[in-house]
Amino acid sequence: ERRVRGPEAAGGVRSPGVGKRPPRRPGYAVLARKVARQVHMRLAREAVLNTPQGVFAVALRDRVIARNLYLYGEYELDLLWQAATILAAARAPSDGATPGRGTVLDIGANIGTVSIGLLRAGWYRRAIAIEPDPYNFSLLERNVRLNGLQDRVLCLRCALSDVSGEAEFEQSATNLGDHHLRAERSGPAS
């Protein structure tokens, strides 16, 4: 049985290689990349990586997203395709929402792996990428430029919540995708 991913799953046209999960690197290759990453971390703060999801400038100190992109060439690619397939199936045909159309709202966009990946794979035409952290936001804007998507991605530096007010923005030193708002809940927003 052939699993279909990407726009082809929703009846769209698929470019060669788009939506395919890259093969995991064999153990020795991952070990070599781990050593290379450790050396690279001592020499540089950032790296630019070419992956199936796009080209990404990453902070080498990040132990989750950047590490996975560096070592495996992807970050949650299967999960991204599964979500995109579910969303495509939920679209009403009368909306004219076919692959390659519509806008994805990427809240907590981090460095753009979701919005850039979905646009490059042809799932959506445009994206609104929202990221509050100044450093991640600078990488997000850089990654949008690296992928030539400036006219298709609107980057907004702000935080979103379901309540009005102020909140503390907590940042992780080692997982740059684990920043979040901490607020005391006093009831729903009016």
Side-chain angles (χ1 to χ4, degrees):
E1 179 177 302
R2 181 174 170 253
R3 289 179 61 187
V4 178
R5 296 185 186 116
E8 182 183 17
V13 177
R14 187 172 98 176
S15 303
V18 172
K20 289 185 178 178
R21 185 191 191 300
R24 284 282 185 179
R25 302 181 199 287
Y28 64 87
V30 172
L31 179 60
R33 291 194 64 79
K34 283 182 180 181
V35 170
R37 181 173 174 264
Q38 290 300 317
V39 170
H40 202 164
M41 286 175 64
R42 296 194 187 282
L43 301 174
R45 183 176 154 193
E46 297 175 356
V48 175
L49 308 173
N50 192 358
T51 76
Q53 284 169 268
V55 180
F56 295 100
V58 299
L60 291 171
R61 68 185 163 102
D62 179 43
R63 293 187 183 164
V64 180
I65 295 173
R67 181 179 180 276
N68 277 276
L69 288 171
Y70 199 104
L71 297 178
Y72 306 109
E74 64 158 287
Y75 179 70
E76 295 185 343
L77 195 55
D78 279 343
L79 183 61
L80 182 59
W81 287 169
Q82 288 171 10
T85 302
I86 291 167
L87 290 172
R91 293 179 180 176
S94 62
D95 293 343
T98 57
R101 293 190 175 183
T103 302
V104 62
L105 180 59
D106 189 359
I107 300 171
N110 194 268
I111 63 170
T113 55
V114 170
S115 48
I116 291 170
L118 289 173
L119 267 57
R120 284 182 43 117
W123 282 101
Y124 290 91
R125 175 75 185 126
R126 300 194 182 286
I128 299 171
I130 299 169
E131 173 56 45
D133 179 70
Y135 182 63
N136 283 345
F137 186 78
S138 70
L139 290 175
L140 170 65
E141 287 188 313
R142 184 174 169 193
N143 292 334
V144 167
R145 284 191 306 276
L146 286 170
N147 287 279
L149 297 172
Q150 304 91 308
D151 60 332
R152 296 175 56 197
V153 180
L154 172 63
C155 297
L156 301 173
R157 188 175 157 237
C158 63
L160 296 180
S161 174
D162 62 340
V163 295
S164 297
E166 293 185 15
E168 182 180 344
F169 187 57
E170 293 184 357
Q171 297 173 293
S172 170
T174 58
N175 180 354
L176 303 185
D178 190 30
H179 304 336
H180 53 274
L181 295 175
R182 175 143 346 257
E184 287 187 29
R185 297 239 177 217
S186 59
S190 51

